[in-house]
């Protein structure tokens, strides 16, 4: 147990050092579920590495540019700008800007606007929903690849997480593509 805590502390210290010492022109993207970070290379190179896919599998460069510009923006309930954004605000903005799709503003009402899919059938851009604190569809994110999704976390702001992370997975309740 003590050894695991030291590894976690060291990894956190390493990531903090990377973040603090990187120049402003290089954005560090992080997979919060495994603390996998990268700060150099093209958008496609960085996200392919993070999502563990080949670059050619990332067709929608507009999506990853959008995500890249929002990574690290803090959470703010009701927020819809780079000073702070909540999960449904981030999803609303992403779907509008990247896919030109209009969605309602709350996660709960967004859940009614998706064509449900099984987890194994999820594709880039699909929505994933979670029930936190006993509230149905209280959190939403956007699926990427290999069980990774981007969302606005209340504690870490806009991040990429793993759907199979035990903490998220136990609250995962619905997924699907936005209806036309």
């Amino acid at each position: 147990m003590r050894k695991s805590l030291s590894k976690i502390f060291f990894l956190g210290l390493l990531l903090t050092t990377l973040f603090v010492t990187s120049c402003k022109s290089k954005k560090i993207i992080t997979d919060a579920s495994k603390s996998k970070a990268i700060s150099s290379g093209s958008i496609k190179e960085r996200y392919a590495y993070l999502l563990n896919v080949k670059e050619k599998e990332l067709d929608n460069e507009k999506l990853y540019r959008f995500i890249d510009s929002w990574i690290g923006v803090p959470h703010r309930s009701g927020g819809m700008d780079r000073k702070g954004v909540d999960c449904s605000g981030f999803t609303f903005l992403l779907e509008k800007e990247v896919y030109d799709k209009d969605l309602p503003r709350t996660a709960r009402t967004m859940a009614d606007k998706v064509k449900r899919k099984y987890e194994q059938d999820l594709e880039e851009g699909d929505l994933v929903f979670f029930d936190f604190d006993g509230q149905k569809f209280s959190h939403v994110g956007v699926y990427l690849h290999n069980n990774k999704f981007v969302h606005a976390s209340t504690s870490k702001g806009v991040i990429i997480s793993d759907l199979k992370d035990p903490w998220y997975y136990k609250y995962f309740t619905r997924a699907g593509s936005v209806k036309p």
Side-chain angles (χ1 to χ4, degrees), residues 14-23 28:
L14 178 65
L15 287 174
T16 303
T17 304
L18 279 173
F19 180 74
V20 171
T21 60
S22 69
C23 70
I28 293 179

Side-chain angles (χ1 to χ4, degrees), residues 61-73:
E61 193 165 332
K62 186 175 183 179
L63 170 64
Y64 295 99
R65 288 197 182 283
F66 180 89
I67 292 168
D68 210 55
S69 71
W70 283 85
I71 286 287
V73 169

Side-chain angles (χ1 to χ4, degrees), residues 114-132:
V114 298
K115 180 180 180 195
R116 292 175 79 167
K117 285 185 169 182
Y118 291 109
E119 186 181 323
Q120 63 270 18
D121 298 327
L122 289 173
E123 298 176 282
E124 185 181 85
D126 287 342
L127 303 187
V128 290
F129 296 91
F130 304 85
D131 294 353
F132 291 136

Side-chain angles (χ1 to χ4, degrees), residues 82-94:
R82 286 188 172 73
K83 291 179 187 170
V85 67
D86 62 17
C87 66
S88 58
F90 175 73
T91 301
F92 174 91
L93 292 167
L94 184 151

Side-chain angles (χ1 to χ4, degrees), residues 50-82:
L50 184 69
L51 302 173
N52 197 27
V53 297
K54 291 180 170 51
E55 282 182 58
K56 65 183 177 185
E57 291 180 52
L58 302 180
D59 298 335
N60 194 340
E61 193 165 332
K62 186 175 183 179
L63 170 64
Y64 295 99
R65 288 197 182 283
F66 180 89
I67 292 168
D68 210 55
S69 71
W70 283 85
I71 286 287
V73 169
H75 178 271
R76 182 170 52 96
S77 188
M80 294 266 299
D81 58 36
R82 286 188 172 73

